[in-house]
Structure formats: structure tokens, C-alpha cells
Amino acid sequence: MKITGNIGFIRKNNVLSPLDLTGGELSFSVDQDETIQIYCLHLIGSLNIKVQLQKEGARCSLNCVYLSHQKTRKNLSFEVIHDEKQTSSEQIVRGILLDQSSMNFVGTIRIPSNSQKCVGTQNHRAVLLSDEASVSAIPELEIYADDVQCSHGSAVGPLDENALFYLQSRGIDKKHATQILLKAFLTDLMPNEIQTVIDEWMAEYV
Amino acid sequence: MAFLEIKNLHAGIGEKEIIKGLNLTIEKGEVHAIMGPNGSGKSTLSNIIAGHPAYTVYEGSILFKGKDLLSLSPDERANSGVFLAFQYPTELPGVGTALFLKTALNTKRKFLGEKELDAVQFMKRLKTRATALGITDEMLKRSVNVGFSGGEKKKIETFQMAFLEPDFCILDEMDSGLDIDALKVVSDGINVMREPHRSFLMITHYQRLLNYIRPDVVHIMVDGRIVRSGDMSLALYLEEKGYEDYR
Ligand SMILES: Nc1ncnc2c1ncn2[C@@H]1O[C@H](COP(=O)(O)OP(=O)(O)OP(=O)(O)O)[C@@H](O)[C@H]1O
Ligand SMILES: [Mg+2]
């Protein structure tokens, strides 16, 4: 496969449409009771996405899968600003790293003091398939309101040895077993258009 | 040539020796049972036969159908006919049971130079074996081993074995966690698989299982070695006296 750039989609009012990620910098503002969902497949370079939840009831969900191989170094930043009370946001990031690749993720959730009753969550998980690959995941939580719900979590590590062994003990070779577990790791995250590219990437590089 | 021949096996984790000079020979068509106190190394032995990467073999050999088993990867061992029904089956969230079994079966058929099954043939085989062991369609739709009760997991392991038709079956405490009816169902499922070309190694703590599945040989394993072998009467003796004489 030829990797030409990052791939993005946005769902707004239940309509899914492509998102051009070529510039690497995108910002959105979300209106009253509006919901946006952003999906990106991060394959190269830097990607910064900023969302302002401007009015009450605004919601956003930022989802990213990053796939890294060889010596690629990437930066991803998600920044959500809860300008108004009762807004909610979610950041979900999943990564797979091979070879000597590295990733630097910064996830910001900012809730100013008058934005009460907001919900902001962030979850990052990455699988390292090589000892030489590395990830840094930094949550930047700037929470000044007291009546809010915020959570963040990050887990980075190799595939579970027992899971791999279980599949192998049923006759599936290590490479195929790895692909099965990685596919399960990314299950139901991305729209089909992106999932197909993920499958292609895995078939070629893993 | 013996079907399985383990000679002077020393193995463990890192520096910690768990299997300490174990010898075991199983002939084609035989059913062997291993009993032994907790921590004596029974699961470790089964994991080593299946090729778990956490364990290191320091010394000794395992020949399976005359081939050096230790030089094969876990998947090559499986495709050569080894199957381990785990004491604690691993959960695989996101990996669907049916697709997993299809992949496993077709990989094995390819390995053996047989034709892969198409969707219809696969479903037929799946349904037949599942029904016999009381596995429902709903269970097959779930992720592998996720959200199953202890007993259900054991049933699923036995079902996988029936489905993949290995010729050397290691059953690690297949009876633990099974209710009385399930024990009967699972034992029946194993008994129908007893054939002249297939051998079994059953690990159990209870003689009860051996009433259902009659072993040809019973071994007692203590501290990484087989200390005594005999027939069914050995299991009856243990039931009464415990391991006191062998510690
Ligand atoms: N992965 C491991 N890491 C550390 N120690 C281990 C590991 N696997 C086994 N051991 C140790 O090796 C010894 C044998 O364990 P094993 O599970 O083989 O016993 P067992 O005979 O199957 O016991 P049980 O009847 O309780 O199932 C125990 O002392 C156990 O703690
Ligand atoms: Mg055990």
C-alpha cells in the first residue's frame, strides 16, 4: 500500500462525511445541543485537532487510530475546550507501533471555572510490537470548575503473551494470531472506510 | 515407537525448576491420568508440551510421533495433533468464537494439505459438535471465553477439541467447575473421541472423572516428577489416603 496521508471523517447530525486532514491543523466549534464525532487514521506527520464546545449541551467525540512503522515519528494533539456548562467530550486514541517508530500524544481537556456540570474523558491505549518503538502520552487536564466529571487513562505495552499463546495453541501462527488480536484491539472504533485501510496496513506491515 | 515419549524432562521459569526429571510414555490409543497435589507441576507440564513461551526446558526431550516436539512452535505442535484444554482458558475480547474456530480449522487443514471448508460445511460441523456438548448459538457469537461461567469455559474447551479433532488431547482439570450433569455431558463428549489413533492425558484431582472416562494408566506427580504409576486402583487408593505416602 502507498501511504499518501491521513484519513478523516466527521459525523454531524448523523451524516458521515470525509474530513481533509492535509494541513494537519483543524478546529471546530460546536453549537447548542449539537454533537460531532471525528474519526481519524493518523499515518504520518503531525495532527492537531481543537474543538470548542461553545454552547450548552454541545458534545464531541474525538477518535483516532494511529499506525506507525519503520522510523516514523508522529505527533497527535487533541484539545477540547468546554466554553459552556453542561457540555461533554470524549477522546479515544488507539495506536499500534512497530520497528523504531514513535508517537507523542497530548490530550487536553480545559474546563474554565464557570463551566459546571461538564463531562470530559480521555482514553489512550497502544500496543508496542517492538522493543524499540516508543510512546509518550500526556494528559493535560486544565480543570477549574469543581462540579465536573473528568477521567483519563493510558495503557501502553506489548500484546498479551497468554492471548497469543492461546491462539497459537489452536494452530494459528504467530503472525496471524498477532493480526487477529490487533484487529480485536481496534474493533468497532472506526467507520468502514477507515477500517479497510487499517486492514490493508496490517496485512502489509504486521 | 511410542506416541508420546518424555525423557528426563527438566524445565521451569527462569532459574526456578518446576519439572525435575520427568519421564512419561503414552502409547497410541491410551488414556493416561495424572493426579497430584496443588503446585506439583501438572499444568506446567501441559503448558510445556503445548509450547508456552514462558517456560524454559533445561534438559531432556519430548518426542511426539517420533518427532522432536520441542523444536516446533506452538502452532506447529497444534497442527501436528497436540491439543491442550486449559485449566484456565484465556479470554480474548473482540475475537468472535465462530470466526476463531473457522480460522483454526482451516489453518490446520491447510497445514495437512487438505481442502479448506466452505461456509456451509463449516457451519454444519460447528452445529453438530456444539449441539452434542450443549453449546448454544448465542455462546458461539460471543468473544472467545469472554463472559462465560467457569463450567461453560470448560465446555467450550472440550467443544473446541471435538471440533478440531486432534490426536493427542491434554485435558487440564476438565472436571473442575462442572456440575454433575455437565460432567456427564463433557465425559460423553470425550468418550466418543476415544479411538485407536487418539491418546489422552487427563489431569484431575478427583477419581470421579475417572469413573466416567476409564484411564489405562494413572500416574501420581509430586514435586515435578512422576513418583508412581499404576491402574485405576491407584486413584481409588489416593481418594482414601491422600498424598501422604508420596510427599
Ligand atoms: N508462570 C509462572 N510464574 C511463576 N511461577 C509459576 C508459573 N507457572 C507455574 N509456576 C509455579 O510452578 C509450580 C507448579 O505450578 P502448576 O500450575 O504447574 O501446578 P499444578 O500441579 O497444575 O497445580 P494445581 O493442581 O493447583 O493446578 C507452582 O509452585 C507455581 O506457583
Ligand atoms: Mg494446574
Side-chain angles (χ1 to χ4, degrees):
Chain A
M1 76 182 283
K2 197 162 152 30
I3 296 172
T4 49
N6 300 318
I7 305 173
F9 280 88
I10 180 167
R11 185 180 282 124
K12 208 169 160 176
N13 304 322
N14 277 319
V15 180
L16 190 71
S17 39
L19 198 59
D20 185 4
L21 302 177
T22 11
E25 301 261 350
L26 290 142
S27 57
F28 300 87
S29 45
V30 188
D31 241 335
Q32 183 153 4
D33 296 324
E34 194 180 61
T35 300
I36 64 165
Q37 288 158 309
I38 291 171
Y39 302 93
C40 26
L41 177 61
H42 188 187
L43 297 168
I44 51 168
S46 289
L47 197 54
N48 301 310
I49 297 180
K50 181 173 170 178
V51 178
Q52 284 190 269
L53 302 170
Q54 283 184 323
K55 297 279 163 60
E56 257 185 72
R59 300 160 171 271
C60 74
S61 162
L62 305 182
N63 305 275
C64 178
V65 167
Y66 61 87
L67 306 173
S68 306
H69 67 296
Q70 293 161 0
K71 289 189 170 153
T72 48
R73 307 171 73 82
K74 293 203 288 252
N75 293 292
L76 171 69
S77 123
F78 277 167
E79 185 179 359
V80 178
I81 300 152
H82 292 256
D83 285 323
E84 263 298 338
K85 59 179 195 268
Q86 289 174 29
T87 50
S88 67
S89 69
E90 152 187 270
Q91 303 177 19
I92 298 174
V93 180
R94 297 284 180 270
I96 298 171
L97 295 103
L98 318 176
D99 313 321
Q100 290 107 37
S101 62
S102 68
M103 170 52 124
N104 185 22
F105 166 62
V106 180
T108 307
I109 303 174
R110 184 179 308 145
I111 309 182
S113 56
N114 49 2
S115 296
Q116 301 294 0
K117 305 227 181 291
C118 289
V119 179
T121 64
Q122 180 187 108
N123 187 278
H124 167 265
R125 283 170 63 196
V127 175
L128 299 178
L129 291 181
S130 143
D131 292 341
E132 293 166 273
S134 64
V135 179
S136 132
I138 302 167
E140 297 268 9
L141 306 182
E142 302 168 15
I143 319 287
Y144 300 102
D146 43 28
D147 186 13
V148 297
Q149 286 177 45
C150 262
S151 69
H152 69 94
S154 175
V156 177
L159 279 177
D160 176 27
E161 182 181 77
N162 286 317
L164 269 175
F165 175 61
Y166 191 87
L167 290 167
Q168 283 189 276
S169 79
R170 300 303 184 242
I172 299 166
D173 69 43
K174 193 162 185 180
K175 180 176 153 179
H176 197 174
T178 303
Q179 288 174 342
I180 289 173
L181 292 177
L182 291 177
K183 214 172 147 86
F185 171 65
L186 301 178
T187 245
D188 291 336
L189 223 54
M190 290 286 134
N192 290 337
E193 290 82 349
I194 290 184
Q195 190 57 50
T196 345
V197 183
I198 294 176
D199 293 345
E200 237 179 275
W201 187 90
M202 286 215 248
E204 178 149 350
Y205 296 109
V206 174
Chain B
M1 178 183 71
F3 191 66
L4 180 87
E5 189 169 27
I6 303 180
K7 272 193 183 155
N8 189 33
L9 187 69
H10 290 262
I13 297 228
E15 303 273 275
K16 183 184 169 189
E17 184 165 299
I18 302 170
I19 303 296
K20 302 171 178 172
L22 183 138
N23 295 291
L24 175 66
T25 302
I26 299 178
E27 300 293 343
K28 220 179 195 172
E30 284 182 345
V31 175
H32 287 226
I34 294 188
M35 303 180 81
N38 296 127
S40 53
K42 305 179 298 297
S43 295
T44 301
L45 174 66
S46 43
N47 274 311
I48 288 169
I49 298 174
H52 196 297
Y55 301 92
T56 312
V57 173
Y58 315 126
E59 205 185 321
S61 63
I62 304 181
L63 293 183
F64 178 57
K65 300 184 206 166
K67 272 192 293 186
D68 173 17
L69 200 65
L70 295 175
S71 68
L72 304 180
S73 63
D75 45 294
E76 290 167 335
R77 297 181 198 198
N79 289 324
S80 311
V82 175
F83 183 96
L84 168 57
F86 289 88
Q87 181 175 4
Y88 304 110
T90 310
E91 298 188 0
L92 306 177
V95 180
T97 304
L99 185 63
F100 157 68
L101 283 172
K102 188 172 181 185
T103 310
L105 183 69
N106 280 337
T107 311
K108 180 170 179 182
R109 293 180 74 93
K110 223 162 119 186
F111 182 89
L112 297 175
E114 294 168 10
K115 235 177 121 234
E116 293 185 16
L117 292 192
D118 63 30
V120 177
Q121 294 168 316
F122 166 75
M123 280 316 288
K124 200 173 154 206
R125 178 163 168 158
L126 194 71
K127 285 274 159 65
T128 321
R129 307 297 151 93
T131 313
L133 282 157
I135 309 284
T136 61
D137 283 0
E138 186 273 327
M139 288 162 94
L140 294 172
K141 284 194 186 116
R142 289 196 223 165
S143 292
V144 178
N145 297 324
V146 177
F148 292 110
S149 74
E152 285 170 343
K153 281 186 184 166
K154 294 301 172 85
K155 273 194 189 176
I156 299 254
E157 289 289 287
T158 315
F159 157 66
Q160 286 183 30
M161 184 175 90
F163 181 78
L164 294 171
E165 300 181 345
D167 29 60
F168 179 47
C169 308
I170 309 167
L171 298 147
D172 193 355
E173 294 198 23
M174 204 33 51
D175 49 340
S176 72
L178 289 181
D179 67 46
I180 299 162
D181 296 342
L183 180 63
K184 178 107 187 30
V185 170
V186 166
S187 303
D188 288 346
I190 295 169
N191 278 326
V192 300
M193 289 182 72
R194 286 185 78 158
E195 285 187 61
H197 64 85
R198 182 174 290 130
S199 307
F200 293 83
L201 180 60
M202 294 192 300
I203 293 164
T204 183
H205 285 295
Y206 305 105
Q207 178 243 323
R208 193 185 48 175
L209 175 72
L210 307 181
N211 289 335
Y212 286 109
I213 308 167
R214 286 267 152 182
D216 299 298
V217 185
V218 176
H219 304 277
I220 300 175
M221 182 164 174
V222 178
D223 194 23
R225 280 185 209 97
I226 286 174
V227 294
R228 177 97 195 260
S229 303
D231 58 15
M232 183 67 185
S233 61
L234 198 53
L236 294 168
Y237 176 85
L238 285 179
E239 194 84 4
E240 203 180 313
K241 296 268 173 65
Y243 295 108
E244 207 44 58
D245 299 354
Y246 301 103
R247 288 199 200 250

